[in-house]
Amino acid sequence: MSSESHDEQPRDAAHPTHDEIVAREGHDVEPAEPIDNPGLPEHLPRPTDVDPKLEKRAERQVAGMFTAAIVLAVGFCVAYFTVPKDAEIFGWFSLNLALGLTLGGALFLIGIGAIQWAKKLMADHEVIEMRHPARSSDEDREAALEAVDAGVDESGFGRRPLIRNSLIGAVAFLGLPAIVMLRDLGPLPGDKPFNTVWRKGMRVVNDVSGEPLSPGDIEVGQLVNAQPSVFFETDSHGHAVFHGTELLQAKAKASVIVVRIRPDDITPRKGQSNWDVDGIMVYSKICTHVGCPISLWEQQTHHLLCPCHQTTYDLADGGKVIFGPGHRPLPQLPLAVDEDGYLIATSDFREPVGPSFPEVHQNRD
Ligand code: FES
């Protein structure tokens, strides 16, 4: 390695030239011998390179995987439409299981098929990539494009229509699940946002114990979290009337708070003067801003504060918003007492509960 050749290289502190080493050491040193390039090991042909039968078999295997991927993609669509949402198998939701297995299986088989294709059937020769500047020369770029063309040629994509067509089919069918799932954007909710499970005569019960509440249970200044009694009831077979996702969705709309305020302090909204029982009022627990559950209660001021964005309602003044981003009053549930002395609703809410949206009308009737 001569010093002249090094002079043409850029200076590198980590790789001093021979002259620099001599100057630093104070005496001449033997230049290091480069390590011999061990070269590449002898190339051995694969079984599929030398045996046409094995080659054909590998081709069928790969096509089989791509075809199975098509079947699984179709299976995804069938499961999506036929398996009930709440059906369970081994304690798991079977719809999720079916969708996951079919879609995951299809992707897995396409991946494995592509690997097998590359390992067993595509051209098998070593490629050496020399170090070069980050930007390739124009010649190299042209060569790269030619190499891509050669790769396409060598992969047999044009020559093996069975694999090519089955792969195209598998990838095309993968688009089906994406299209099918657009169905979940609908249907439109109809009047669901305007209704809850509250009905005339339904008791107001403690949300933990399920015990019906009577006026004597609520002291002035007190707030109690409550639910409609139907959430604690069973049908003729002993099964809960509401359960699972249905229960959570119904609870998200029907949860209420019960408060008692001195009757003289109450200013009812127009048409709601008889909606309380001796100062006991039931309001929706769901903030009309974006739907957080609320129960931060200021006994002295009758204010109810939402912890999410601080919308504050005055429950002595018809649930009016006095601060924060909410702009609809908290809906009130009309209340009465049944013949057994328990608090009951006299109807559903008369206005939509929960977050506001453009279609919300102020009053149902
Ligand atoms: S959700 Fe209650 S203030 Fe925003």
Side-chain angles (χ1 to χ4, degrees), residues 49-188:
D49 291 335
V50 293
D51 186 339
K53 272 190 187 167
L54 289 179
E55 182 190 8
K56 208 67 198 164
R57 190 166 80 183
E59 186 176 357
R60 283 197 301 272
Q61 283 173 347
V62 172
M65 289 183 212
F66 291 157
T67 307
I70 294 174
V71 172
L72 286 173
V74 173
F76 176 97
C77 302
V78 172
Y80 185 87
F81 285 110
T82 58
V83 179
K85 278 193 177 120
D86 289 342
E88 290 188 9
I89 182 167
F90 304 131
W92 292 11
F93 286 113
S94 52
L95 176 60
N96 288 351
L97 194 63
L99 297 182
L101 285 178
T102 50
L103 189 56
L107 291 168
F108 179 76
L109 284 172
I110 289 176
I112 294 294
I115 291 172
Q116 286 293 85
W117 182 7
K119 285 183 68 123
K120 292 188 173 174
L121 297 170
M122 288 188 190
D124 177 37
H125 55 76
E126 304 286 348
V127 176
I128 301 173
E129 185 183 3
M130 306 303 291
R131 290 189 177 191
H132 52 75
R135 186 197 182 283
S136 304
S137 66
D138 292 339
E139 295 78 31
D140 286 348
R141 291 177 160 216
E142 271 177 36
L145 289 177
E146 281 169 17
V148 169
D149 290 341
V152 170
D153 195 37
E154 288 172 358
S155 70
F157 196 79
R159 282 184 291 107
R160 298 187 191 278
L162 185 60
I163 289 183
R164 182 194 61 212
N165 295 341
S166 56
L167 174 60
I168 291 173
V171 172
F173 271 72
L174 266 188
L176 266 185
I179 295 169
V180 161
M181 283 191 287
L182 290 176
R183 176 176 174 265
D184 280 347
L185 294 176
L188 292 173

Side-chain angles (χ1 to χ4, degrees), residues 192-199 250 253-254 333 348-349 353 364:
K192 279 187 190 168
F194 301 94
N195 297 313
T196 74
V197 299
W198 283 105
R199 294 289 175 270
K253 292 197 298 179
L333 188 73
D348 193 1
F349 285 97
V353 300
R364 192 191 296 262

